[in-house]
Amino acid sequence: MNTTSVKQLLQQKAKADLGFYPTPLYRLNNLSKKLGINLSIKREDFSGQSLFGGNKIRKLEYLIGDAKEQGADYIFTFGATQSNHAMQTVEACRKEGLKPILYLVAYVEPDEKDLRSNLLLDRILGAEVHIILKNPDETEEEMSARSVKLAREHMERLTKEGHNCYEIPMGGASPIGSAGFIDGSVELAEQAAAIGQEFDYLVHATGSGGTMAGLVAGKKLLKCPMRILSFDVIGHEYSYLENSAKLGNESLTWLGAEACLTAEDFEHDNQYFLPGYEMPSEAGNDAIRLLAREEGLFLDPVYSGKAFAGMLDYIEKGIISQGSNVVFLHTGGATALFAEKAILGNLLDK
């Protein structure tokens, strides 16, 4: 399909007007020279109505559009206490007249007397926030599952009171949310064509998988030869790719396109997220400092910094060859630079 055909499919769906698109795409001249590649950046961090945009806004345009079409008055969603997705969901709800309720797991326990970063913004925005603290011997997966269980019990109570609740999964990773990055793929293709640029690689951070599923679905629809390199920010098994293919196919089906993805369509790397989610890495912090000092731009230690570090290592090892045309998708999240010390690590030590 061409970009016009894909846009026609997307235009049939309900969509909230939340972002400012197209987001900027431009070359990073200093780093291109330093690294020996043609490196561009696509600024999804510029997408939102506030200073704190990011990749979740594209998903939320379709998710909130669907919620309003279904007559929802309450929106429930999930994440970590410093979740970009949760905060951007609250922003979207405030703009669209919906009531946001968050169930957030404390990977890093916040100080209620010194709230920071996204959790601070959630409270300023007036969200109803429920923080799930870790029980002894409880795994992170069990803690997340408990947050969903508690939220659904809450939704059931509100439903009995006559309210209409809409659940958005962690990261907006749903068939409807992923359609946002089929949309984003069309936008990037049109921007690239306008400047006569053919990208060899698109690099981005992946967590819940919704952005990755949408990007790969969009690439497949458009028959684009560009390779998408997805760097994990949390540990994933091989089933992650199977689940992402399923998610992408469900998104394509939702749009009325052919479901055509398999796990083999995805290229992801889980070697750069350690020591863990919301735990800083030396390479990630080096990448943050490099981009800041070469281009005056900010990444974050949870998502984009680790993906950028993975890209730098691929360049050094020759996996991304010299002279390649590369676009880095800046997914936002720089609010984490103002989060707890445990998330920042040694960022200020060099």
Side-chain angles (χ1 to χ4, degrees), residues 200-277:
D200 302 305
Y201 300 94
L202 182 148
V203 175
H204 75 108
T206 181
S208 54
T211 296
M212 180 175 71
L215 288 170
V216 175
K219 162 186 156 70
K220 202 75 177 283
L221 269 185
L222 296 170
K223 294 182 171 58
C224 175
M226 175 184 67
R227 291 173 62 185
I228 297 173
L229 304 179
S230 307
F231 288 94
D232 290 3
V233 300
I234 194 167
H236 292 126
E237 303 296 333
Y238 181 78
S239 60
Y240 177 61
L241 298 186
E242 295 176 330
N243 292 336
S244 296
K246 180 176 182 290
L247 178 58
N249 282 331
E250 289 173 349
S251 189
L252 290 167
T253 300
W254 183 72
L255 286 176
E258 180 187 359
C260 53
L261 301 182
T262 68
E264 285 66 38
D265 290 312
F266 295 80
E267 294 187 67
H268 88 124
D269 194 316
N270 65 359
Q271 300 302 306
Y272 298 91
F273 79 92
L274 294 172
Y277 183 73

Side-chain angles (χ1 to χ4, degrees), residues 1 5 19 31 40 52 54 105 129 132 135 140 166 208 211 234 240 262 265 290 308 320:
M1 298 180 74
S5 298
L31 272 182
S40 298
F52 312 113
V105 296
V129 180
I132 310 303
N135 290 329
E140 292 179 354
Y166 188 93
S208 54
T211 296
I234 194 167
Y240 177 61
T262 68
D265 290 312
L290 177 68
F308 205 87
I320 295 176

Side-chain angles (χ1 to χ4, degrees), residues 33-309:
K33 182 177 181 180
K34 187 180 187 75
L35 299 174
I37 64 169
N38 297 310
L39 179 60
S40 298
I41 191 166
K42 183 155 175 62
R43 300 294 300 275
E44 290 298 286
D45 57 322
F46 277 7
S47 63
Q49 61 183 355
S50 77
L51 294 173
F52 312 113
N55 62 314
K56 309 304 183 184
I57 300 295
R58 285 191 194 272
K59 300 178 188 180
L60 287 164
E61 288 201 318
Y62 289 94
L63 288 162
I64 297 296
D66 186 59
K68 292 185 72 176
E69 190 172 59
Q70 293 190 29
D73 56 343
Y74 279 93
I75 302 293
F76 281 72
T77 198
F78 314 91
T81 50
Q82 292 297 356
S83 168
N84 299 309
H85 160 72
M87 183 275 292
Q88 289 169 25
T89 299
V90 178
E91 284 188 335
C93 287
R94 289 309 183 206
K95 182 175 186 295
E96 297 298 319
L98 301 168
K99 299 170 185 175
I101 299 181
L102 307 179
Y103 276 78
L104 306 178
V105 296
Y107 293 103
V108 175
E109 188 171 341
D111 181 352
E112 288 290 337
K113 296 180 180 179
D114 185 24
L115 293 179
R116 295 171 178 265
S117 188
N118 286 324
L119 189 54
L120 172 64
L121 298 175
D122 295 336
R123 294 289 174 79
I124 293 173
L125 288 160
E128 182 178 330
V129 180
H130 300 266
I131 295 177
I132 310 303
L133 300 177
K134 191 175 185 295
N135 290 329
D137 301 322
E138 187 177 36
T139 67
E140 292 179 354
E141 291 78 12
E142 289 169 341
M143 186 165 55
S144 292
R146 182 160 57 91
S147 74
V148 173
K149 180 177 181 293
L150 291 169
R152 288 177 178 170
E153 290 170 353
H154 192 166
M155 283 186 263
E156 187 176 344
R157 293 193 299 271
L158 287 172
T159 300
K160 288 178 179 178
E161 294 171 7
H163 296 287
N164 189 340
C165 300
Y166 188 93
E167 178 181 329
I168 296 178
M170 186 179 296
S174 76
I176 296 172
S178 289
F181 273 92
I182 296 176
D183 196 337
S185 296
V186 170
E187 180 179 295
L188 177 59
E190 290 182 334
Q191 287 179 305
I195 60 175
Q197 179 72 74
E198 292 185 4
F199 289 111
D200 302 305
Y201 300 94
L202 182 148
V203 175
H204 75 108
T206 181
S208 54
T211 296
M212 180 175 71
L215 288 170
V216 175
K219 162 186 156 70
K220 202 75 177 283
L221 269 185
L222 296 170
K223 294 182 171 58
C224 175
M226 175 184 67
R227 291 173 62 185
I228 297 173
L229 304 179
S230 307
F231 288 94
D232 290 3
V233 300
I234 194 167
H236 292 126
E237 303 296 333
Y238 181 78
S239 60
Y240 177 61
L241 298 186
E242 295 176 330
N243 292 336
S244 296
K246 180 176 182 290
L247 178 58
N249 282 331
E250 289 173 349
S251 189
L252 290 167
T253 300
W254 183 72
L255 286 176
E258 180 187 359
C260 53
L261 301 182
T262 68
E264 285 66 38
D265 290 312
F266 295 80
E267 294 187 67
H268 88 124
D269 194 316
N270 65 359
Q271 300 302 306
Y272 298 91
F273 79 92
L274 294 172
Y277 183 73
E278 281 198 346
M279 299 174 67
S281 71
E282 182 72 29
N285 280 351
D286 285 344
I288 293 170
R289 287 187 286 262
L290 177 68
L291 186 61
R293 295 171 187 181
E294 291 291 336
E295 299 284 354
L297 302 178
F298 296 106
L299 300 171
D300 78 282
V302 181
Y303 292 91
S304 56
K306 290 183 177 181
F308 205 87

